[in-house]
Amino acid sequence: MTSEPETVATPGTGPQEDSTEAGSREDPAGPGPRGESAEAGPKADEGDEDALFWSLDDLKALDFDPLLTTLLREEPVARIRLPFGEGTAWLVTRYDDVKQVTSDPRLSRRALAEREVTSGSPHAIAAKHAALNYTDPPHLNTLRRVVARAFTGRSMERLWPMARRRADSLLDGMERNGPPGDLMQHLHGPFPLSVVCDLLGLPEDERAGMTSWANVIMAPRLAPARSEEARATVRDVVVGLLDRRRTEPGEDLAGVLAAAVKDAEISDDEAVSLATAILVSGAHAVRNNSANMVYALLTHPEQLARLRAEPRMLPQAVEELLRYIPHRNGVGLPRIATEDLEVGGVRIRAGEAVYCSYLSANRDPAVFTDPHTLDLEREAVTHLSFGFGPHHCVGAMLARMESEVMIATLLDRYPRLALAVPPEEIAWEEGALIRGPKTLPVRW
């Protein structure tokens, strides 16, 4: 992974916080590594000449984006322009402001489906007219209720022992070939795919290639055409599975969605979109996020030792890892203001796009003491890594369970687990929406 800023996160400290690294509006000819003046690009309307261009260059390892650090401190509601799409948008970075934006009904995701806005991706990852993320209440509530039937606490309890056995089986295979062993190949890649496919009800013989397709879909900036092709391929697999569930009902997620279509709760397109989103996120996002967690622990030995000494604190440790790790590059989907409103003392006009950074909200010093430090004993404060409000991630419970299983299994089996190479030699994904290592070689 290459990135222009040279800030390096040292264990126990955060990245350097030099505001000049975020770029300058005053010198368009000399942009900083992550942000620059928007003079060179199109303007949405009058007054956008001061928008920052956020280039979304790849960052090193788990370095925190210096532009977000600067905006959080100096301009928490800022006008930005991203590499794709049209015009400019607002970016909100403070914790309280992010919570306001994500829960304010005057800010709509449905309105986004009809708009082309400045974006970090050359195309939409999900179908705009059927996806959960492009829906507002009250219909959003219906979609979430349907999906929630497969994400109950009881279903997670049922999946836990199955997941633990799967993790042990995968690590048995790694031991037969190592040490050293690549955790991306032997655990973080196949494990989340197996769990989400079990949840969905996708047969073993239809899972081949699913991880690589998901990775291509979630790295659209590198090869937009290949990303579109991969999305179509995964969609075909999902359509076939849902078609079978109409005549072969099941208790898996595909069965739940097929039954909801039959009962006219949701449409065919919505069922396909929901299943595809959960499959792709499960195969890709959890893969990278869980690997980031293990990397963070192995590069913070004092925190790892604390967790080993008190394994019961694992759920708390996972929450702090979720808060600390900058799991994505850039931001997700914006919302469109349906009327004038104020956020953080800034007037947002009807029709303007508003992005939120959950990453910066998780590093807000007004909420988290010493926010750039990984502290597994941190007093509980709700992080925003799974979002907030009506669009809070429906798979959060599953993602937490998978992360806990993987970390617990590694700690139980390998008391001397360590990276097999220096941290600076780890290769990282390039051009991806979700950050993570390409390989994670370890010894034990």
Side-chain angles (χ1 to χ4, degrees), residues 103-411:
S103 57
D104 193 323
R106 296 172 295 176
L107 289 154
S108 169
R109 279 280 182 79
R110 183 175 178 81
L112 180 62
E114 312 301 329
R115 291 278 303 277
E116 287 297 327
V117 300
T118 189
S119 172
S121 172
H123 62 74
I125 301 300
K128 285 188 174 183
H129 294 282
L132 191 76
N133 283 340
Y134 289 93
T135 307
D136 293 333
H139 187 54
L140 172 63
N141 303 335
T142 299
L143 297 178
R144 292 180 64 89
R145 278 197 301 270
V146 170
V147 175
R149 293 169 193 162
F151 286 97
T152 63
R154 186 163 59 181
S155 66
M156 294 304 104
E157 291 176 4
R158 178 180 59 83
L159 281 174
W160 178 284
M162 298 167 55
R164 180 62 194 254
R165 288 193 295 271
R166 179 60 172 161
D168 278 320
S169 175
L170 290 168
L171 291 174
D172 287 345
M174 184 178 76
E175 289 182 19
R176 288 192 291 269
N177 293 305
D182 178 12
L183 287 179
M184 299 306 293
Q185 175 186 351
H186 293 286
L187 181 65
H188 297 295
F191 177 82
L193 176 65
S194 174
V195 172
V196 76
C197 286
D198 286 344
L199 179 78
L200 188 61
L202 189 68
E204 291 275 357
D205 59 358
E206 295 184 30
R207 301 179 186 184
M210 194 60 68
T211 296
S212 60
W213 292 333
N215 293 343
V216 171
I217 291 170
M218 297 299 285
R221 288 189 292 148
L222 291 181
R226 285 188 61 216
S227 179
E228 289 277 24
E229 291 171 5
R231 187 173 68 163
T233 299
V234 173
R235 186 183 188 282
D236 289 344
V237 172
V238 168
V239 168
L241 175 61
L242 291 175
D243 283 345
R244 289 197 300 274
R245 282 294 175 269
R246 289 185 176 90
T247 56
E248 303 169 13
E251 296 182 358
D252 48 45
L253 178 58
V256 167
L257 294 173
V261 171
K262 182 180 178 182
D263 293 339
E265 292 180 273
I266 62 175
S267 69
D268 279 319
D269 285 345
E270 286 170 337
V272 171
S273 180
L274 287 166
T276 302
I278 290 168
L279 180 57
V280 171
S281 295
H284 179 81
V286 177
R287 167 189 183 271
N288 286 5
N289 291 342
S290 62
N292 289 339
M293 289 183 182
V294 173
Y295 174 86
L297 288 172
L298 295 180
T299 53
H300 292 77
E302 73 291 346
Q303 297 297 317
L304 178 58
R306 182 72 185 88
L307 181 56
R308 285 192 181 280
E310 193 173 344
R312 288 181 298 177
M313 69 183 296
L314 179 57
Q316 175 183 338
V318 166
E319 295 306 304
E320 170 65 357
L321 288 163
L322 285 166
R323 182 204 68 83
Y324 172 80
I325 292 170
H327 64 275
R328 67 167 300 123
N329 199 20
V331 284
L333 291 175
R335 292 162 174 81
I336 305 297
T338 58
E339 59 182 80
D340 290 0
L341 69 150
E342 187 174 293
V343 177
V346 175
R347 180 171 176 257
I348 309 294
R349 292 178 295 177
E352 292 184 323
V354 183
Y355 280 99
C356 292
S357 173
Y358 299 125
L359 305 186
S360 62
N362 285 340
R363 299 289 185 104
D364 188 341
V367 178
F368 302 98
T369 303
D370 199 6
H372 293 297
T373 297
L374 177 65
D375 179 6
L376 301 188
E377 295 184 83
R378 184 181 298 277
E379 291 185 10
V381 177
T382 303
H383 62 75
L384 301 182
S385 296
F386 292 118
F388 187 79
H391 285 96
H392 182 272
C393 177
V394 294
M397 190 182 299
L398 179 65
R400 286 183 167 103
M401 184 273 286
E402 292 179 83
S403 299
E404 290 182 19
V405 167
M406 282 185 271
I407 293 172
T409 306
L410 288 170
L411 297 187

